Amino acid sequence: MKTTNMMPEDQLDLAQKRDRMQQRVKASLKRRHAQEKRFKGMGMAAVVTALAFVTLLFFTILSKGLPAFWQATLTLQVYFDPEVIRIDPKPEKRSDESEGAFQQRYLAWQTQLGFVNFNRIILDSLAREIPEAPEYQRDALRLVTSGERFALRGLVEKDPSIIGQTLTLDLLADANVDVWMKGNIDRNLPDAQQQLSARTRAWVDELQARGVIKSKFSTALFMNPDSRSSLASAGLAGAFMGSLMMMLIVMFLAVPVGVASAIYLEEFAPKNKLTDLIEVNINNLAAVPSIVFGLLGASVFILWFKMPLSAPLVGGLVLSLMTLPTVIIATRSTLKAIPPSIRQAALGIGASKVQSVFHHVLPLAIPGILTGAILGVAQALGETAPLLLIGMSSFVASVPATPFEQSTALPVQIYLWQGNELRNFFEARTSAAIIVLLALMITLNALAIWLRKKFETRW
Amino acid sequence: MGQPSMNTLKVTLPESADSQALPQGNIKMSARDVKVFYGASEALHGINMDIYENEVVAFIGPSGCGKSTFLRCLNRMNDTIDSARVTGKVTLDDQDIYDPSLDVVQLRAQVGMVFQKPNPFPKSIFENIAYGPRLHGLVDNKTDLEEIVESSLRRAGLWNEVKDRLDAPGTGLSGGQQQRLCIARAIAVSPEVILMDEPCSALDPIATTIIEELIDELKGSYTIAIVTHNMQQAARVSDRTAFFHLGNLVELSATREIFTNPQDTRTEDYITGRFG
Ligand SMILES: Nc1ncnc2c1ncn2[C@@H]1O[C@H](COP(=O)(O)OP(=O)(O)OP(=O)(O)O)[C@@H](O)[C@H]1O
Ligand SMILES: [Mg+2]
C-alpha cells in the first residue's frame, strides 16, 4: 500500500529533478562550448605561429644564403707565359727507376713550380682588360682572390702542355669585390672605411659594366676547404667530408650496436633488477647534455687512447656514444609495438626464440628501426657542442682523406664562419652553409620516410 | 560415483572412465599434480588429467579459473611468460615434456596451438602455411611444399576460398578465414595434438559452425583440447568435458554426463547458470 501511495509523489519529484538537471546542463553548455572554442583557437594560433616562424626562418636563410652560391667572377684571357713559367718538363717515371727516386724527382719539380710567380700571369691577364694595371700592381691584384694563383699552378701541374697557350678562364674575384658588387657595403663610406682602394672600386664598376666581372654560379663553396687567406674561395668541402665520415662511423657503429642491444634487451634479456637498472640508465643517457659526451670523448679517446685531436674518428666515436641511447630507445619502442600474437604464433608452431624474432618480429620492426636510426644519425649530424671539446673547431685548410686527419664538421664550420671578421661576406656564406646542412638533413629525413613507406607497403 | 575429490576425478582412472562410453584408446597426454605459479600466486593447484588419443576434450569454467593456463602447460607456451613457473609432470606419449633434455621446438611441432585471436603472420597465405614445414625441414622440394599447403588448406576447409590468391596477405582474410588459416598452419606440421584456446570467440555463428565442423572432421586423426565459454559448443564438439574452477579441475567426464548429470554442485551451478 505504502509503495503505491509514494509513487506519484516520487515521480513528481523525479520529473522536477530531471527538469532542474536539464537546466543545469543547458547552463553549462555555453561555458563548455566557449571552452572548446578557446582551446581550438589557441591550438590553431600555436600552429600558425610555429608555421610562421618556420617560414620566416627558411625565408631569411634562403634569401641570405642563396646569393652566396653566385660569386663575382672575372672572365680573363690567361696567357701561360713560358718566360714566366720556366720549369723543366714534368718528370715521367722511367722503367729503371725506383718509386722512391721518382717521387724525389717529382717533388723537386713541384718545388720548382712553386717558385713560379703566378701573380705575374694574373697581372698580365688583367692588363689585357685594364691597361694601367701593371702600374698599380697592389690594387690590381686585389681584384682576384689570392687562392686563384694556386688554381693556375694546379692547372699547369696537371697538364704542362698549356704553357705557351692562352686560355679563357673564370677567376674568382676577391671577397671584397663580391661584397662591393652585391652592395653589401655602403658605397658612400669614406675611403678609410672601405676595404678596397678607390682605384680598385672604379675598376670593378668598369669591368662589371663591360661584362668582364659577372656574378656566376660558383662551385668554390662545395669544392674547396676552408681558407683564411683567400676568403672568396673558402668552401665547405673539408667540413662536409668530416661530417660525412662521422656520419658513416655513427651509422656503422651506433646503429648496429644500438639495434642489437635493443633486440637483446627487449626480446631475450630476462626481466630482473639488472635489466631494469640498465633500462633506467639508457633513458638517463639519452637525457645527458651532448657536451658531456664531448668531455668524455676528450678524456677517454684523446687522453687515454691517444687518438688524434680534431679527427673525424674521435668525433664519430663521440657522436656514436651520444646517438646510441636514441637508437636503442627507438628500436625498443618499435619492438614493443609489435603485437605479441605474432611471437606466439611463431613459437606455437615450433620456431625457436631467435627464429621468431628474426623471421617475424624484425621484418615488421624494420621501418620503425630505420626511422629511429636515421633520425639518430641526423641528430648526430647537427651536433656541435661535443665536437668543440675534441678540437674540431680549429681551422683546417684541407679536405681530410682519412678519418685520422684533422677536420671540422658542417655545424662547426657554420659556427666558425659566423664569427669571421669579414661579416659582409661571411653572413651570406654562413647562411649558404646552413642551407647545405639543412638540405642534408631534409634528405636524410626524406630517406627515413621513403624507407618507412617502402617497407610498410609489404603490409 | 561417490564423493568427487577436488582434483582427481575419474580422470586418473581410465577403467572407470570406460563405463561412460569414453573413447577407448591410449593415453596421449597426461598431467600429474600440475601447479602453475605466476610470480608468487598459484594459478593452478595441482591438476591431474589424462587426454586420450584422437578425442576432443573441452575445457570449461568461469573466467580466470585457469583453463588457458593449463592448456599452455601442454605445449610449454607458459615458458614464454617470464613470471610463470610450472611444477608437476606432463607427459606426451609417456615422455616428460618438461624434461630438460626434450627440445621444446620438437614438442611444439607435435603439440600445435590455435589462439583465441586469429594471428596469421603478416605474409602471404602460402607463406603462412609453408612456414612450419620449412622450419622443421619437412619438405625437400617445392612440389612437396605446395602439396602440404594445399592439403592443409583443404583440411581446414579454406582451399576453395583462397586457391586463387595464395599470394595475397593472410591478414587480408576475414576473421573466420583467418582462424581457419591458423588451423591450417597448425596442421601443416602434422601435429599429434592440437590445443585451441577459445578459437571461435571472435567469430560469428556461421564461421563458428564451420570451425566446429572442422574440429569434428579433424578428430579422427588428431587429439584436440579446446577451451570454450560456449556450452553448446562444448556439448557439440567434445567427447569429454573438463570443468575448471578457481584453479582446480572440478570434474571431468563424458560431455553428455557433465551436461545431464553433473556430479559436483559447482559444475551444476555453472552449467545451469549458463543454460538458464
Ligand atoms: N601472464 C600472467 N601473469 C600473471 N597472472 C596471470 C597471467 N595469465 C593468467 N594469470 C592469472 O592466472 C589465472 C588463470 O588465468 P587464465 O588465463 O588461465 O584463465 P582462463 O580460465 O583462461 O580465463 P578466461 O576464460 O577469461 O580466458 C587468473 O587469475 C589470471 O589472473
Ligand atoms: Mg583464457
Side-chain angles (χ1 to χ4, degrees), chain A residues 71-80 118-119 121-126 140-141 143-153 155 167-175 177-178 181 212-218 220 230 232-233:
Chain A
Q71 275 184 255
T73 309
L74 295 101
T75 310
L76 296 176
Q77 304 284 319
V78 181
Y79 175 51
F80 289 88
F118 278 97
N119 274 343
I121 306 271
I122 292 177
L123 264 178
D124 287 348
S125 321
L126 283 170
L141 283 174
L143 285 172
V144 179
T145 195
S146 59
E148 293 298 18
R149 292 180 290 192
F150 308 113
L152 293 184
R153 191 175 73 191
L155 284 179
L167 304 179
T168 309
L169 293 177
D170 281 342
L171 299 183
L172 269 185
D174 188 84
V177 173
D178 191 69
M181 266 178 64
V212 178
I213 299 189
K214 266 201 285 247
S215 241
K216 274 200 182 166
F217 186 81
S218 163
S230 171
S233 43

Side-chain angles (χ1 to χ4, degrees), chain B residues 33 37 105 152 190:
Chain B
D33 197 27
F37 302 84
V105 163
S152 308
S190 312

Side-chain angles (χ1 to χ4, degrees), chain B residues 38 43 61-70 72 81 83 116 198 229:
Chain B
Y38 290 114
S63 191
C65 64
K67 307 178 295 289
S68 302
T69 301
F70 182 67
R72 284 199 299 264
I81 299 170
S83 62
Q116 176 170 358
E198 301 183 42
H229 278 291

Side-chain angles (χ1 to χ4, degrees), chain B residues 139-201:
Chain B
V139 288
D140 299 323
N141 54 49
K142 200 153 184 290
T143 344
D144 283 2
L145 189 63
E146 279 164 358
E147 238 171 67
I148 287 194
V149 169
E150 177 172 345
S151 66
S152 308
L153 284 170
R154 273 191 197 285
R155 293 215 74 166
L158 195 59
W159 176 251
N160 285 328
E161 289 159 68
V162 301
K163 64 173 180 239
D164 301 323
R165 47 173 172 150
L166 291 177
D167 292 331
T171 40
L173 296 172
S174 77
Q177 289 173 326
Q178 286 189 17
Q179 196 60 300
R180 276 181 283 151
L181 181 67
C182 293
I183 295 176
R185 181 177 65 191
I187 58 183
V189 292
S190 312
E192 295 153 31
V193 182
I194 303 178
L195 311 174
M196 300 184 175
D197 194 348
E198 301 183 42
C200 302
S201 65

Side-chain angles (χ1 to χ4, degrees), chain A residues 271 341-342 344-352 355 359-360 364 458-459, chain B residues 77 80 82 105 108 115 119-124 131-132 135-136 169 185:
Chain A
K271 305 275 173 286
S341 62
I342 298 290
Q344 284 177 352
L347 293 174
I349 204 162
S352 66
Q355 286 170 326
H359 294 171
H360 300 288
L364 290 179
R458 290 174 25 187
W459 62 71
Chain B
M77 278 303 270
T80 65
D82 280 321
V105 163
R108 295 203 184 122
F115 297 84
N119 55 355
F121 298 127
K123 299 185 173 180
S124 71
Y131 181 68
L135 190 69
H136 298 297
R185 181 177 65 191

